[in-house]
Amino acid sequence: METSASSKEISLKESEMLLLRGTAGTVAIVKAGPSGQFFLETESEEIVLGLEPHDLIVASALSVNEKTEKGLKCVLFMIREIRSPLIVLPKHHPASPRLPIVVSAGGKTVMSCNITPGTHPNQDVLCGSNEFDSLELTGTPEGVQIKNLPHCEILKVNFDI
């Protein structure tokens, strides 16, 4: 466990998951890996996301506990390893407020507390708790470049189930 500075680069292997544990939310990050193609499903279309191995799949939850961290790992595993598609709900969908975990995939993700969870087809923005607002995560060949990092716990765990 470690506390953070405002900006840093953290090494991250394909076999690891990075956890940012705040007081009101948790962010989990894994590398996209070598598979390359991921599918994004919207109400009207299917979009193929072509990702580089160093790009990131990021999951966010508005809670902080062991059950949440297991859920984050399972969701990321379903997407990266089982190839489950990313689902984007239409604006004002009744399920949005009940989504416990939301996910984004791409080269860069910016966290925002001012968006509706699960409704953004642009994979560069992700809903998060207030403390992670403006957090910027960019995949690099060595790991993750993090900007606007709030004071939080940073943990690296094995990415396996």
Side-chain angles (χ1 to χ4, degrees):
M1 280 193 281
E2 132 186 19
T3 54
S4 66
S6 177
S7 179
K8 64 176 17 180
E9 171 123 6
I10 298 176
S11 68
L12 186 65
K13 298 176 188 164
E14 188 182 324
S15 61
E16 298 173 324
M17 179 174 79
L18 188 65
L19 281 169
L20 306 179
R21 187 188 291 155
T23 57
T26 309
V27 177
I29 305 148
V30 296
K31 293 286 194 174
S35 298
Q37 282 191 343
F38 294 85
F39 294 92
L40 178 72
E41 308 296 335
T42 72
E43 186 176 29
S44 60
E45 65 182 330
E46 178 174 75
I47 300 166
V48 178
L49 300 174
L51 300 183
E52 296 295 326
H54 66 269
D55 287 341
L56 304 175
I57 306 172
V58 181
S60 172
L62 299 177
S63 55
V64 183
N65 57 50
E66 185 180 349
K67 186 185 273 188
T68 295
E69 290 174 13
K70 287 180 180 179
L72 288 163
K73 184 185 277 190
C74 285
V75 166
L76 291 173
F77 191 88
M78 287 289 297
I79 291 167
R80 191 180 87 180
E81 301 298 325
I82 306 297
R83 315 299 296 158
S84 180
L86 292 114
I87 307 292
V88 178
L89 297 174
K91 297 276 186 212
H92 309 294
H93 193 282
S96 288
R98 290 190 304 280
L99 290 173
I101 294 172
V102 289
V103 180
S104 176
K108 176 178 160 184
T109 298
V110 177
M111 305 294 296
S112 174
C113 64
N114 298 318
I115 61 173
T116 305
T119 63
H120 290 270
N122 296 339
Q123 291 295 290
D124 59 351
V125 65
L126 184 63
C127 181
S129 63
N130 288 344
E131 65 199 313
F132 291 117
D133 192 50
S134 300
L135 174 71
E136 188 176 300
L137 305 164
T138 305
T140 68
E142 300 79 33
V144 183
Q145 177 66 43
I146 304 175
K147 294 182 181 170
N148 305 320
L149 184 62
H151 189 74
C152 65
E153 287 183 271
I154 301 170
L155 302 99
K156 213 184 293 186
V157 299
N158 287 329
F159 185 60
D160 58 4
I161 300 293

